[in-house]
């Protein structure tokens, strides 16, 4: 291998950023060229738009991430204004539905909320930053526990994970304590209610600077570093094709979306980290088609509700002064009102679910002023149970050579169905959500199952496996079976049925792939 390898990375989300960072740190002569189809939204590449203080500026950044639905693209694509592009349970701010209702939209009737972000930093510029680690059967069996622990520790370092964010919040402690009472005797030691780990840097005023791909890039975007001198990021540049010859990948062909010009960029290694739908689509469009490509799609089915916190129970645990302090701190950053975030993690056999509990002063929808819980001074919690999907080859995305999407790629159709086993776990999770609500207060919104795709955590479509037996796309080091010099990254690699938020796991998997390929490129 050449002593000064050029590495092309497709996609600038947290996973592309992980590859760029680890490879440049490990290979002192390597260069990384990163291509991102969307625009750069913030001065610092890949920063979280949640950190933008000005609400209008934040909204504008989100709109620019929304690909074909964004204002400036709508007219050109012939999409009428009446097509719903964004809504609370359709596409979240900063994302766009794959089926946006216009010409060239994907077909997602069975998975209607499928969405993506198209911007520097990917979904990582919009994410909630929840970073719990996988446990029990959520871990991948062929990676041993010691290595998992090491990979997770490195992923936490790269993402700036905090285990005790908002730990001083009296409201958070009270919610945790009420949940512990409600679930007493049900959960194994160490897997009871706790603070949700999140990625970000606490600020002196008590607020949080949320992490995006920028923190993962780290020295690559700091002026004057050796890594920055060897890193180039091209935004608004769409990778159209992965070039290969006789099974060896040789580079990528890209389109500059500002000028429409195409060029082929030779590379010693190509890393595709362009999300769980568009990565397989790019591979497929390039003629790279392992049997499992796009199949085994999983996500977390989500059952949500909103509960008004019970005043009497809260007052026993939180003083008036503590409540006032909490509200004052939250008022400092009204545009990003995340304060106390609690959870009950996945554990087996009794609780194979994840519960996420977010405290908020107001419900996320207008509450009738006549409702008995309207204006509840103790606030509310928005709770969601994540329920796992068991991988099946029947669930996945198909590509159609005969029909092009709005970008000119083979169009996508998502096939997906819940099995009786999953329906049963959804019913169980709904009962547990009622139990959690009973511990905390009264429903202002009854539990309901969100449409398929709502989790935004799409997994399995490029799953890794221990053997090239047709049920996986990549080997245990993320190398695509049957091809050399080609790695894939992202949630699509996760082969297990799980409920844990996937980004930390995917960064850990990327660290593993990057370390191995760096050693190979270095000739070790
Ligand atoms: P992405 O971040 O999706 O980045 C992929 C990038 O590739 C995109 O920018 C895309 O434009 C680009 N791309 C696609 N095709 C091409 C091409 N052909 N050429 C060039 N570029 C291309 N996860 C958690 O773990 N915890 C959470 O709390 C959480 N909350 C979330 C909340 C929201 C609102 C959203 C939107 C997501 C959330 N997620 C969360 C999911 C998390 O953001 C993703 O897991 C993570 O961003 C995946 O990283 P990635 O780099 O694989 O892909």
């Amino acid at each position: 291998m050449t002593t000064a390898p050029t590495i092309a990375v497709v996609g600038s989300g947290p996973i592309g950023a992980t590859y760029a960072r680890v490879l440049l740190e490990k290979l002192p002569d390597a260069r990384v060229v990163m291509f991102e189809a969307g625009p750069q939204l913030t001065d610092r590449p890949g920063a979280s738009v949640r950190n933008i203080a000005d609400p209008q500026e934040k909204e504008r950044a989100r709109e620019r991430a929304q690909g074909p639905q964004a204002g400036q693209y709508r007219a050109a694509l012939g999409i009428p204004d009446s097509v719903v592009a964004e809504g609370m349970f359709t596409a979240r701010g900063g994302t766009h539905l794959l089926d946006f209702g216009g010409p060239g939209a994907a077909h997602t009737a069975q998975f209607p909320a499928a969405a993506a972000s198209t911007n520097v930093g990917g979904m990582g510029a919009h994410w909630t930053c929840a970073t719990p680690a996988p446990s029990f059967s959520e871990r991948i069996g062929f990676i041993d526990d010691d290595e998992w622990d090491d990979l997770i520790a490195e992923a936490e370092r790269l993402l700036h994970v905090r285990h005790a964010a908002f730990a001083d919040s009296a409201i958070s402690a009270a919610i945790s304590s009420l949940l512990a009472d409600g679930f007493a005797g049900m959960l194994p030691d160490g897997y009871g209610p706790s603070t949700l780990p999140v990625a970000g840097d606490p600020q002196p005023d008590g607020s949080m600077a949320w992490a995006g791909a920028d923190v993962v890039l780290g020295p690559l975007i700091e002026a004057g570093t050796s890594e920055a001198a060897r890193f180039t990021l091209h935004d608004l540049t769409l990778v159209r094709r992965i070039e290969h010859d006789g099974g060896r990948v040789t580079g990528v062909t890209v389109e500059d979306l500002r000028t429409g010009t195409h060029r082929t960029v030779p590379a010693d290694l190509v890393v595709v980290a362009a999300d769980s739908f568009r990565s397989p689509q790019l591979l497929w469009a390039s003629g790279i088609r392992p049997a499992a490509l796009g199949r085994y799609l999983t996500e977390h089915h989500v059952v949500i509700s909103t509960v008004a916190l019970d005043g009497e129970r809260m007052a026993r645990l939180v003083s008036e002064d503590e409540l006032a302090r909490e509200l004052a701190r939250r008022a400092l950053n009204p545009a990003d009102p995340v304060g106390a975030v609690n959870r009950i993690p996945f554990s087996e056999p009794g609780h194979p679910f994840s519960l996420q509990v977010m405290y908020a002063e107001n419900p996320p929808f207008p509450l009738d002023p006549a409702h008995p819980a309207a204006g509840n001074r103790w606030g509310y919690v928005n709770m969601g149970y994540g329920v796992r999907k068991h991988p099946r080859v029947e669930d996945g995305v198909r590509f159609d050579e005969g029909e092009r999407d709005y970008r000119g790629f083979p169009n996508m159709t998502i096939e997906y169905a819940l099995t009786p086993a999953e329906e049963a776990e959804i019913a169980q999770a709904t009962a547990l959500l009622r139990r959690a609500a009973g511990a905390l207060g009264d429903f202002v919104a009854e539990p309901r199952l969100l449409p398929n795709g709502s989790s935004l955590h799409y997994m399995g479509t490029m799953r890794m496996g221990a053997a090239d037996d047709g049920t996986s796309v990549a080997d245990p080091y993320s190398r695509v079976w049957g091809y050399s010099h080609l790695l894939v990254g992202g949630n699509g690699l996760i082969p297990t049925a799980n409920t844990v938020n996937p980004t930390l796991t995917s960064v850990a998997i990327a660290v593993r792939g990057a370390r191995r390929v760096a050693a190979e490129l270095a000739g070790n």
Side-chain angles (χ1 to χ4, degrees):
M1 179 55 63
T2 159
T3 53
T6 297
I7 297 144
V9 175
V10 186
S12 66
I15 307 307
T18 300
Y19 271 102
R21 167 92 176 258
V22 176
L23 290 171
L24 286 178
E25 284 185 343
K26 291 218 170 282
L27 298 168
D29 298 318
R31 309 188 74 81
V32 167
V33 192
M34 181 179 273
F35 299 103
E36 168 53 55
Q40 184 168 324
L41 306 176
T42 49
D43 291 342
R44 191 173 155 80
S48 172
V49 306
R50 292 169 64 196
N51 298 332
I52 300 175
D54 177 55
Q56 277 180 341
E57 209 187 306
K58 186 183 306 214
E59 228 14 77
R60 168 85 189 120
R62 286 184 169 147
E63 193 193 45
R64 290 180 68 217
Q66 288 168 196
Q69 279 109 328
Q72 60 176 314
Y73 298 99
R74 293 176 73 93
L77 283 163
I79 302 169
D81 279 345
S82 57
V83 172
V84 175
E86 188 185 342
M88 198 175 147
F89 301 132
T90 50
R92 304 243 292 272
T95 71
H96 51 91
L97 292 173
L98 297 185
D99 183 354
F100 50 82
H107 309 291
T108 67
Q110 296 168 359
F111 204 74
S117 299
T118 303
N119 55 270
V120 170
M123 279 193 180
H126 313 281
W127 69 320
T128 313
C129 296
T131 43
S135 52
F136 298 90
S137 63
E138 295 184 321
R139 289 186 164 200
I140 300 168
F142 54 73
I143 303 176
D144 70 40
D145 276 351
D146 286 350
E147 190 184 354
W148 259 121
D149 293 344
D150 175 53
L151 293 170
I152 291 290
E154 179 60 4
E156 289 183 337
R157 190 183 72 85
L158 290 171
L159 284 167
H160 294 201
V161 169
R162 312 284 148 181
H163 286 266
F166 309 110
D168 59 339
S169 158
I171 290 198
S172 175
I175 291 171
S176 215
S177 152
L178 293 175
L179 285 173
D181 291 347
F183 283 76
M186 254 196 75
L187 305 165
D189 278 355
Y191 292 88
S194 58
T195 305
L196 187 72
V198 289
D201 294 305
Q203 301 300 293
D205 67 2
S207 68
M208 184 69 96
W210 298 106
D214 60 329
V215 306
V216 181
L217 291 170
L220 283 57
I221 52 171
E222 300 299 345
T225 66
S226 142
E227 290 86 359
R230 296 179 287 123
F231 176 65
T232 318
L233 166 62
H234 297 280
D235 76 344
L236 287 168
T237 303
L238 179 66
V239 175
R240 287 231 158 255
R241 191 179 155 80
I242 302 160
E243 300 298 340
H244 52 100
D245 187 9
R248 186 196 200 286
V249 165
T250 56
V252 289
T253 293
V254 304
E255 178 182 351
D256 181 333
L257 296 176
R258 292 184 172 89
T259 61
T261 51
H262 290 66
R263 69 189 165 107
T264 296
V265 181
D268 300 292
L269 173 72
V270 173
V271 180
V272 179
D275 83 37
S276 295
F277 292 113
R278 290 179 291 179
S279 294
Q281 185 189 38
L282 176 61
L283 264 62
W284 203 88
S286 306
I288 299 170
R289 300 176 182 177
L293 188 71
R295 311 312 305 172
Y296 300 98
L297 170 65
T298 65
E299 69 151 340
H300 310 147
H301 310 122
V302 189
V303 187
I304 61 155
S305 73
T306 302
V307 166
L309 290 169
D310 182 86
E312 260 180 51
R313 275 174 260 174
M314 290 300 287
R316 280 203 294 272
L317 299 164
V318 180
S319 71
E320 288 292 332
D321 278 359
E322 286 169 326
L323 175 62
R325 264 205 305 279
E326 181 100 15
L327 293 176
R329 180 168 72 179
R330 294 165 63 75
L332 287 175
N333 194 357
D336 185 34
V338 175
V341 188
N342 287 276
R343 62 157 177 167
I344 301 180
F346 181 96
S347 60
E348 284 173 317
H351 192 265
F353 309 102
S354 292
L355 172 66
Q356 210 160 295
V357 182
M358 321 267 284
Y359 166 69
E361 288 114 277
N362 298 303
F365 48 82
L367 190 60
D368 183 346
H371 191 288
N376 183 26
R377 59 190 293 270
W378 287 96
Y380 306 80
V381 286
N382 299 309
M383 299 198 291
Y385 249 105
V387 185
R388 62 191 161 177
K389 169 76 181 164
H390 298 272
R392 300 186 312 162
V393 69
E394 293 88 333
D395 302 307
V397 53
R398 289 204 185 284
F399 305 104
D400 183 350
E401 201 95 69
E403 184 193 347
R404 296 279 139 176
D405 72 4
Y406 71 96
R407 308 187 306 173
F409 281 85
N411 209 352
M412 300 191 260
T413 300
I414 299 178
E415 301 156 330
Y416 194 84
L418 300 179
T419 64
E422 285 140 17
E423 302 274 15
E425 288 202 334
I426 288 168
Q428 224 182 320
T430 307
L432 289 170
L433 195 57
R434 292 188 178 281
R435 187 185 188 110
L440 296 173
D442 298 300
F443 281 123
V444 292
E446 288 283 323
R448 62 175 169 143
L449 178 66
L450 296 187
N452 292 336
S454 300
S455 69
L456 301 168
H457 301 160
Y458 313 131
M459 298 168 285
T461 53
M462 302 186 290
R463 67 206 299 256
M464 58 202 313
D468 185 9
D469 59 3
T471 67
S472 58
V473 168
D475 76 3
Y477 294 95
S478 303
R479 300 172 291 205
V480 175
W481 295 116
Y483 289 81
S484 66
H485 305 88
L486 176 62
L487 268 71
V488 282
N491 303 334
L493 273 288
I494 298 175
T496 50
N498 68 37
T499 67
V500 74
N501 312 57
T503 309
L504 183 76
T505 305
S506 296
V507 169
I509 292 170
V511 167
R512 188 172 207 250
R515 284 176 176 171
R516 170 56 66 106
V517 80
E520 284 169 6
L521 289 171
N524 298 330

